[in-house]
Amino acid sequence: MPHATYPLMFSPLTIRGQRLKNRIIMGSMHSGLEDLPNAAERLSAYFVERVKGGVGMIITGGITPHPSGGRGAKLSEPSEVPMHRAVTDAVHAADPEVKICMQILHSGSIANVREPVGPSPVRSRLAKVPPVELDEAGIEEQIAAFAKCSALAVEAGYDGVEIIGSAGYLISTFLVERTNQRTDRWGGSWENRMRFAVEVVRRARAALGPDKMLIFRISAMDMLEGGLAWEEVTSLAKALEANGADVISTHFCWHESQVPTIATMVPRAAFAQVTGRLREAVSIPLITSNRINMPHVAEDVLARGDADLISMARPMLADAELVNKARDGREDEINTCIACNQACLDHTFTGQLTSCLVNARACRETEITVKPAEVARRIAVVGAGPAGLAFATIAAGRGHKVTLYDAASEIGGQFNLARKIPGKEEFDETLRYFGRMIEVHGIDLKLGTRVDADALAAGGFDEIVVATGITPRVPALDGIDRANVVSYIDVITGKAKVGQRVAIMGAGGIGFDVAELVTHAGTSASLDIDVFAKEWGIDFRNHPRGGVTGVVPEVASSGREVWLLQRKTSAVGKGLGRTTGWTHRLTLQWRGVHMLGGVEYERIDDAGLHIRVEGEPRLLEVDTVIVCAGQEPARGLYDELIARGLAAQLIGGAFEASELDAKRAILQATELAVAV
Ligand code: FAD
Ligand code: NAP
Ligand code: SF4
């Protein structure tokens, strides 16, 4: 019987004789677990939770086939097989129907090795040195390594391999003219440039034997000026099919590209239409990906005929049970990936273990375990921001009797402000999730209730958890109490009037968000694929090389003249997320926002904001000053409780406001909730 709501998502598909029970794949992500001494145990626990959560197939994080391919986990010698075997055994034991394929990743010119290799010595912006140009013997050695790695993957019990041929890694640098300047049989004409990819596939196919799957990840749109032309993409796909690929997975990325492809401002499933076009060129199944974070989005993509399979990578970090929840009609219980990158990609690129902002247990499955409480306790939680919500829902899920108070009329705390910023609409999903969890776990929610120590003392609680958040910092400055000096809170909630010439004091995450809000005009790009494409110079219809037009995008603006200020002399926005900060900086630059560092604030008067920059006095003739100068912990209630001798615990911003974000608030709350 087809599934009533998701008939396509829950229809099986057979690839090379192997039956996938549904169309959802956990896409490849480097978790960092691969590199730990207890990798097998940690990876097994991480994957098995997703297997039990209903996913049809898993693709592992990238495993390098050759020492030159990167310093991460490798599979190039038989001695490396047992770690992988332990993982595949665990996955198959958890559900023999679920498949697991190993991604083979050779990072080429961007490998973190002393002497990276590539087709030509063209240095990537992300690498310190140009790659060493491979000679004929070197090329043969690399192809042989892909084949040997494939054979070892079979020995290790994988159901197949995914070879990554996109994103600026080794294979893709052979494909693109810009990185392949050879004049021998591996460069020059398109036939020569694609020879390496095709040869890798042909030899890997032979090494895998007749029963194992071969997936090839292709750059369907590499977002790179001078990248692949559409005819090259289709011709490559056909050649891969002819040489033994069973599935083509479409990728939309080149690590140096200046187009966001997975950040929260990218509309859901924005790139699936490209997969749909490629599907017409080949007869093997296609996988699509990027910002497909809910089951109805996946079903719509399948229904439009844009793909045969859906890869969800980050959504599987956010909620291991996503597929089962969809199957059982519990979509409103899905903890949705909000595409913030804060705990996943930002961690990967800074050498930290991957996790997830909304699910702190991701990749910590063996460290943070949720067990039923031995004794159910009565717990008061004050504050329904991310910290209070995470604590309350996990503690109640363990069987504790939780009462959750918030002074506001809705749950969310500062997340209610975050979700009002154009491009952050996904944050709504986190509040929908927590709202539902409050119902599921029978939490006694008391909104519009500012509790004090008297009320809590009278409540007879066994535990009190204080998650009262922060109060915005008000810098001591002449004129700070003028009517035209307003807090970010009043701007975001619409209480404050904002003029045409605006100074923003403070260029942290909130300063940037406020600058986005006051300069924004028109439809939010994250909600409209055409607006997004226009803003970032993507041409989905004509598909120029790389998919990008190369002209400076025209971004709609409110027309306000805005100064974004900080006292630090470092580049403005330097502290923003590693993988997303540049997108915020670029958009504001395009809207003409003046970003000034090294600012000393002097006073605010009728003329505007008086500052000094490098000692030189300057007047910004603004009509509105918005204060985004950081935050202080709101600990009044906690101090009162302690003064009365009541036991209370602090979490989130109330614990520490400096460098606070929702990732830290939720992690701290989770750790306390599993221990209480
Ligand atoms: P809060 O969210 O501040 O919640 C505290 C709650 O306690 C409030 O709801 C308050 O009403 C309640 N409260 C206080 N006193 C009492 C009382 N006595 N009785 C009852 N209730 C009380 N973080 C990120 O990680 N990523 C982002 O992209 C991001 N974007 C942001 C954008 C904006 C515009 C803002 C303002 C913040 C953003 N943040 C972001 C920061 C993030 O929202 C905070 O780090 C997080 O909300 C802190 O959580 P918390 O639970 O500690 O406190
Ligand atoms: P923040 O990032 O700490 O920035 C505070 C800003 O205020 C800084 O620019 C700081 O820079 C300035 N400042 C500090 N003290 C000041 C003073 N006395 N007078 C004038 N300026 C002062 O904090 P935030 O912007 O309030 O954000 C709060 C938290 O929310 C952050 O930790 C952030 O991670 C999180 N957040 C994250 C995102 C995201 O996209 N990831 C978005 C929004 C918020 P100078 O000292 O150099 O002037
Ligand atoms: Fe998604 Fe953010 Fe979690 Fe990464 S950290 S998986 S982007 S919600």
Side-chain angles (χ1 to χ4, degrees), residues 55-92:
V55 74
M57 175 157 80
I58 287 171
I59 314 237
T60 68
I63 303 293
T64 185
H66 187 275
S68 64
R71 274 205 296 266
K74 218 159 58 22
L75 184 55
S76 58
E77 299 302 332
S79 60
E80 290 153 348
V81 165
M83 187 285 271
H84 293 270
R85 174 52 91 171
V87 174
T88 58
D89 282 351
V91 164
H92 292 137

Side-chain angles (χ1 to χ4, degrees), residues 269-291:
F271 295 96
Q273 53 183 303
V274 183
T275 315
R277 279 213 306 281
L278 188 56
R279 200 164 171 245
E280 291 162 16
V282 289
S283 53
I284 49 178
L286 268 97
I287 304 175
T288 197
S289 63
N290 290 45
R291 292 284 288 115

Side-chain angles (χ1 to χ4, degrees), residues 26 33 42-50 317 363 365:
M26 174 175 172
L33 297 173
R42 295 284 296 265
L43 277 172
S44 299
Y46 160 63
F47 286 140
V48 164
E49 284 206 7
R50 275 82 198 161
L317 294 176
C363 298
E365 290 74 15

Side-chain angles (χ1 to χ4, degrees), residues 396-539:
R398 296 182 54 222
H400 291 300
K401 178 114 195 60
V402 176
T403 305
L404 175 60
Y405 298 94
D406 203 292
S409 58
E410 54 187 349
I411 61 164
Q414 292 177 73
F415 250 41
N416 269 318
L417 301 176
R419 72 193 183 90
K420 296 199 170 76
I421 306 297
K424 284 193 162 177
E425 295 81 2
E426 287 287 1
F427 285 51
D428 284 350
E429 296 287 2
T430 306
L431 299 184
R432 183 263 309 142
Y433 164 76
F434 278 125
R436 181 68 187 125
M437 286 299 106
I438 287 170
E439 292 170 0
V440 167
H441 298 306
I443 292 171
D444 185 11
L445 176 65
K446 298 199 183 296
L447 290 174
T449 311
R450 178 170 292 278
V451 274
D452 55 20
D454 285 339
L456 291 168
F461 293 104
D462 302 316
E463 305 266 351
I464 301 170
V465 174
V466 179
T468 45
I470 51 83
T471 47
R473 181 180 292 129
V474 183
L477 186 69
D478 267 0
I480 197 83
D481 50 0
R482 293 171 64 90
N484 65 338
V485 182
V486 293
S487 145
Y488 66 86
I489 297 179
D490 289 342
V491 171
I492 299 173
T493 53
K495 279 191 203 133
K497 207 168 148 285
V498 178
Q500 282 305 303
R501 293 169 63 81
V502 179
I504 299 174
M505 285 176 68
I510 292 178
F512 264 82
D513 274 357
V514 166
E516 167 69 35
L517 181 72
V518 300
T519 56
H520 179 84
T523 310
S524 176
S526 48
L527 301 178
D528 186 315
I529 295 178
D530 289 337
V531 174
F532 167 73
K534 210 165 140 210
E535 279 201 359
W536 291 95
I538 307 166
D539 185 345

